[in-house]
Amino acid sequence: MEFNVRRLAADAGTFLSRAVQFTEERFGQAEKTELDAHLETLLSRAESTKHWTEKVMKQTEVLLQPNPNVRMEEFLYEMLDKKVPTRANNHELLGECMIDSGHEFGPGTAYGSALIKCGETEKLLGSAEKEFIQSSAINFLTPFRNFIEGDFKTIAKERKLLQNKRLDLDAAKNRLKKARLADARSAAETELRIAQSEFDRQAEITRLLLEGISSTHAHHLRCLNDFVDAQASYYAQCYQYMVNLQKQLGSQFAIFPSTFSNNNQPASSSSASISVPTAQPVASLPAPPPSQASPALNELRSTSGTRKARVLYDYDAASSSELSLLADEVITVSSVPGMDSDWLMGQRGNQKGKVPITYLELLN
């Protein structure tokens, strides 16, 4: 009991001494030991790393989950150490809605079949999004969070301890200056040597921790590469799903030839209007490459034969004499005497119409 009282009294005395020293420094009444330039640079670098790591983390969380209410809910579950309930994302909800409406209109109809195909693809997009979010959380956000909640907290603790040792050192220096008697000066010198030794030791510990920030940057760089790889894989997967869907919808023309005309309008004026969305208009597409006027094209024009061609871009027919196109589909083309040199005659199933050469790549 007596030992604890003495210890509390000593701690109180140390705290008071630090408080007096800090206050006098603030008012310019006491000298302050400056840290060496290298240590100051390391401290500044650590603070900058913490600041930008937190900002990148926050914006990444917004990217992965734009809904702030859901983010707050997930945070609360994490704080309570409970599993976040599984919920369907927006792609999956849209997919379920499309599939249900497709079954309602009838899978055997053009519209119903297209809705079901779109719904199945939306669910695939939703599944890919969940995998991307999970991968990013594990390989990118978690290491960043571990740094903020682990390594940097240790650095902050040691930095605060260094600040206290620095105050003790400067307080000891001031006491030595004020000492007049020989015994008092001897005691003050001994106290100063101890304070200097403890300060130097703490400065070295803090410096070693701060130099570890370089390793943190290297680790975060690997995490960033993992995040970029996950994004590239996710977007490539989504692109492939949409390309496959475009091809499936493109085959609707051949499966239901009586349902669509060449300009994507119903053959019967009394039926519902159905249109297939296309990409940019002609004006926004790149100019045709010089190789378009190739020997293969010249050979096609000089004969009455046909050739396969891959469609480079979506094209929405401007009139009933033209044929609408979907990117990446393969059609049959031929040259018709007297036709404009910028056009060929295209055929898909029993559909036929003019197609622009700049949208095609002739196949061998």
Side-chain angles (χ1 to χ4, degrees):
M1 180 69 177
E2 183 179 351
F3 172 77
N4 290 337
V5 171
R6 287 200 303 268
R7 183 173 181 178
L8 287 173
D11 290 344
T14 301
F15 177 79
L16 180 60
S17 173
R18 290 171 181 170
V20 170
Q21 177 65 28
F22 181 80
T23 303
E24 290 179 350
E25 288 176 359
R26 284 290 184 179
F27 287 98
Q29 299 174 355
E31 294 182 2
K32 175 182 177 181
T33 299
E34 299 293 340
L35 301 177
D36 66 80
H38 178 59
L39 188 56
E40 288 284 5
T41 300
L42 292 175
L43 286 169
S44 176
R45 188 183 184 205
E47 284 293 338
S48 178
T49 300
K50 172 183 177 289
H51 171 74
W52 288 108
T53 298
E54 287 178 331
K55 292 201 72 170
V56 170
M57 274 180 54
K58 182 178 179 181
Q59 291 305 315
T60 304
E61 288 170 350
V62 172
L63 170 70
L64 299 180
Q65 178 48 262
N67 190 326
N69 294 327
V70 175
R71 288 203 306 275
M72 178 58 69
E73 181 182 344
E74 291 176 350
F75 173 75
L76 292 176
Y77 274 104
E78 183 179 343
M79 294 295 293
L80 296 172
D81 199 21
K82 291 186 177 181
K83 184 179 179 181
V84 179
T86 303
R87 60 164 62 86
N89 57 30
N90 292 330
H91 284 294
E92 291 174 326
L93 292 173
L94 176 58
E96 289 291 348
C97 181
M98 286 182 166
I99 291 173
D100 291 344
S101 60
H103 285 296
E104 178 68 24
F105 293 126
T109 65
Y111 186 39
S113 175
L115 279 170
I116 292 173
K117 287 183 173 65
C118 289
E120 291 171 346
T121 300
E122 289 295 334
K123 292 182 72 173
L124 290 174
L125 292 175
S127 177
E129 182 182 286
K130 283 184 174 180
E131 291 178 5
F132 166 60
I133 291 174
Q134 183 180 16
S135 173
S136 299
I138 294 174
N139 299 322
F140 188 61
L141 288 179
T142 298
F144 276 42
R145 189 174 291 111
N146 288 342
F147 166 73
I148 296 297
E149 298 177 357
D151 294 349
F152 191 80
K153 280 190 175 180
T154 302
I155 290 174
K157 178 183 176 182
E158 296 300 330
R159 180 180 183 178
K160 183 177 180 181
L161 190 55
L162 176 63
Q163 171 71 355
N164 289 336
K165 295 299 182 182
R166 202 267 312 159
L167 289 171
D168 291 343
L169 174 62
D170 288 336
K173 289 179 179 178
N174 286 333
R175 280 193 291 272
L176 178 60
K177 286 182 180 180
K178 296 175 182 178
R180 294 290 181 264
L181 300 177
D183 290 345
R185 286 190 63 82
S186 177
E189 287 173 353
T190 301
E191 184 182 355
L192 177 58
R193 283 195 299 270
I194 294 173
Q196 183 70 59
S197 175
E198 291 181 351
F199 171 77
D200 292 341
R201 177 176 174 275
Q202 186 58 39
E204 181 65 16
I205 292 173
T206 307
R207 182 185 64 78
L208 291 174
L209 283 172
L210 292 172
E211 287 177 348
I213 291 292
S214 296
S215 299
T216 298
H217 286 187
H219 179 50
H220 286 182
L221 175 58
R222 291 193 294 271
C223 296
L224 182 61
N225 285 332
D226 290 341
F227 179 63
V228 171
D229 289 344
Q231 272 191 311
S233 176
Y234 167 61
Y235 289 124
Q237 195 174 10
C238 291
Y239 172 76
Q240 190 58 52
Y241 286 150
M242 298 311 298
V243 168
N244 293 340
L245 178 61
Q246 280 185 318
K247 292 178 180 178
Q248 291 178 39
L249 293 181
S251 66
Q252 295 281 109
F253 293 109
I255 297 174
F256 302 98
S258 61
T259 307
F260 303 96
S261 66
N262 285 342
N263 60 353
N264 291 336
Q265 296 298 324
S268 172
S269 59
S270 61
S271 61
S273 173
I274 302 176
S275 63
V276 178
T278 58
Q280 307 103 320
V282 180
S284 63
L285 292 172
S291 60
Q292 192 65 54
S294 61
L297 180 58
N298 293 332
E299 180 183 348
L300 179 63
R301 283 176 172 160
S302 63
T303 64
S304 57
T306 61
R307 194 153 190 157
K308 294 292 185 182
R310 184 175 70 87
V311 178
L312 299 175
Y313 319 106
D314 288 358
Y315 177 70
D316 195 4
S319 68
S320 59
S321 65
E322 298 177 8
L323 180 66
S324 292
L325 303 173
L326 289 173
D328 287 329
E329 70 172 324
V330 177
I331 63 173
T332 302
V333 295
S334 59
S335 179
V336 176
M339 181 178 288
D340 192 310
S341 60
D342 292 332
W343 297 80
L344 291 173
M345 182 60 66
Q347 185 171 354
R348 181 202 304 110
N350 64 349
Q351 291 182 293
K352 204 170 184 179
K354 294 193 304 180
V355 293
I357 292 177
T358 54
Y359 283 65
L360 304 174
E361 178 188 8
L362 297 180
L363 303 177
N364 294 327

